[in-house]
Amino acid sequence: MHTVWKGAISFGLVHVPVKMFSATEDKDISMRYIHKTCITPLAYVRKCQTCDKEVEWDEITKGYEYEPGRFVLFEKEELETISGEANKEIKILDFVNLTDIDPVYFQKTYYLGPGDTGAGAYNLLLDSMRQTGKIGIAKVSIRSKSSLAAIRVIENCLALETIFYPDEIRPISQVPNLPEKVTVNERELDMAKMLISQLSSPFEPEKYKDEYRGRLLEAIEHKIAGEEVQAAPALQKTSVIDLMAALQASLDATKSSDDGKVTLESDATVTEEKKPKAKPRAKKAKEPVT
């Protein structure tokens, strides 16, 4: 793996040299914009509108627009000094329980491997965190951006999760149409809880696949072979009106497999309950005008 950052974790007066590696990778299939007329890929050009020319990377800096059309400029070294990235330190401020952090705060995960020196300090921090069940809340600067971070143990490795600051989380009050008071039918609630119970199982990430990526790769292979791509028609599901009927149908569709797990059949659908049409009323005979 490629090292994206080198530095040290500090807690108290202890320094643990570490190397940082990206723990995740984006497996999206990359598509390029193509000019239909000549099948030429379109290029991204860094062009200055004033000078009317393409700009090289060594001519580019960063700036903040404090008024329309007016900027203050910063060099890379200035931003590194301001962010504290130059000291290459992950400073642990507190130790907390992982369950205390809402998942909405988490951003990106990195693995922290031992540095070229200090393997003993790395093992000490890893094992002490594992045995206490605590995670460290730290501050770190990566690529001129200061972040809060959670340091935790994954198997026999320290991991760092960058997390948002509280003022970066949008308040729930901004979500439109939220109910002021939640009221539900007790029978529907009991059935919903029963359905959740029947569909509950341990989290097994390996059983979840990116079906879109698989279909897209298959379509790419067909197109390379000169074949037409036939898309399966989507199943039309009717709107569900009767919640009780929907819950009961879902419960009926669950079945126990050989290993005792309960699954929901993929072809189980709930249709809208149709009401019998009212008979047309007989038209009243008009009274003769006298």
Side-chain angles (χ1 to χ4, degrees):
M1 280 193 281
H2 173 67
T3 303
V4 297
W5 188 90
K6 285 183 182 181
I9 302 171
S10 71
F11 63 109
L13 298 176
V14 180
H15 280 252
V16 185
V18 291
K19 294 179 180 179
M20 183 182 289
F21 308 89
S22 291
T24 57
E25 58 180 324
D26 187 354
K27 289 201 171 183
D28 280 353
I29 297 169
S30 179
M31 295 278 189
R32 298 186 64 180
Y33 286 107
I34 306 294
H35 187 196
K36 283 185 178 181
T37 305
C38 59
I39 318 300
T40 300
L42 300 179
Y44 170 72
V45 179
R46 299 176 301 277
K47 187 176 181 179
C48 175
Q49 296 177 353
T50 301
C51 301
D52 194 26
K53 69 169 188 175
E54 187 175 348
V55 181
E56 299 297 329
W57 279 114
D58 59 2
E59 298 179 76
I60 296 175
T61 190
K62 289 187 176 181
Y64 175 76
E65 189 173 12
Y66 63 94
E67 287 179 7
R70 296 178 67 86
F71 300 86
V72 286
L73 305 182
F74 290 91
E75 295 298 328
K76 181 183 176 183
E77 294 74 19
E78 291 180 291
L79 293 174
E80 286 181 353
T81 301
I82 293 168
S83 69
E85 186 177 1
N87 65 19
K88 299 292 182 182
E89 183 183 28
I90 304 170
K91 185 175 179 59
I92 295 179
L93 308 173
D94 300 291
F95 287 95
V96 303
N97 296 317
L98 178 60
T99 52
D100 292 343
I101 306 176
D102 191 289
V104 72
Y105 282 91
F106 291 113
Q107 288 179 303
K108 184 173 174 58
T109 305
Y110 297 91
Y111 293 140
L112 299 175
D116 297 327
T117 60
Y122 181 93
N123 291 337
L124 175 65
L125 178 59
L126 186 148
D127 210 33
S128 58
M129 289 180 65
R130 177 188 285 136
Q131 293 196 27
T132 58
K134 297 290 185 179
I135 67 169
I137 300 300
K139 278 192 174 181
V140 61
S141 292
I142 307 169
R143 301 189 181 102
S144 299
K145 176 174 170 53
S146 174
S147 297
L148 274 179
I151 297 174
R152 63 191 184 96
V153 175
I154 300 179
E155 297 181 10
N156 64 336
C157 179
L158 291 174
L160 180 144
E161 312 254 6
T162 54
I163 58 180
F164 291 104
Y165 284 98
D167 62 354
E168 294 178 302
I169 306 295
R170 290 176 174 173
I172 292 175
S173 58
Q174 292 183 2
V175 179
N177 304 321
L178 287 178
E180 291 183 8
K181 186 179 178 182
V182 178
T183 55
V184 294
N185 178 284
E186 286 299 321
R187 286 188 63 204
E188 292 172 353
L189 180 61
D190 289 340
M191 292 183 72
K193 291 193 292 187
M194 190 185 305
L195 179 59
I196 290 172
S197 176
Q198 290 192 4
L199 293 176
S200 296
S201 65
F203 178 56
E204 299 172 355
E206 62 277 0
K207 77 178 182 181
Y208 303 104
K209 308 293 182 187
D210 187 343
E211 295 176 0
Y212 166 74
R213 180 155 51 94
R215 290 195 300 268
L216 183 55
L217 283 171
E218 187 178 349
I220 289 170
E221 291 297 327
H222 282 304
K223 282 187 172 287
I224 291 172
E227 303 170 10
E228 287 293 323
V229 177
Q230 299 293 332
L235 292 173
Q236 297 294 322
K237 291 187 180 180
T238 57
S239 58
V240 177
I241 299 294
D242 191 336
L243 267 178
M244 288 292 289
L247 290 164
Q248 188 60 58
S250 299
L251 286 168
D252 293 342
T254 58
K255 62 178 182 178
S256 296
S257 59
D258 294 336
D259 58 1
K261 292 179 183 175
V262 179
T263 56
L264 186 65
E265 294 181 15
S266 59
D267 58 348
T269 55
V270 180
T271 55
E272 181 179 337
E273 194 179 62
K274 292 183 179 178
K275 295 181 180 179
K277 289 183 180 179
K279 291 181 180 179
R281 291 182 180 179
K283 290 183 179 179
K284 252 188 175 181
K286 290 183 179 180
E287 293 180 4
V289 178
T290 56

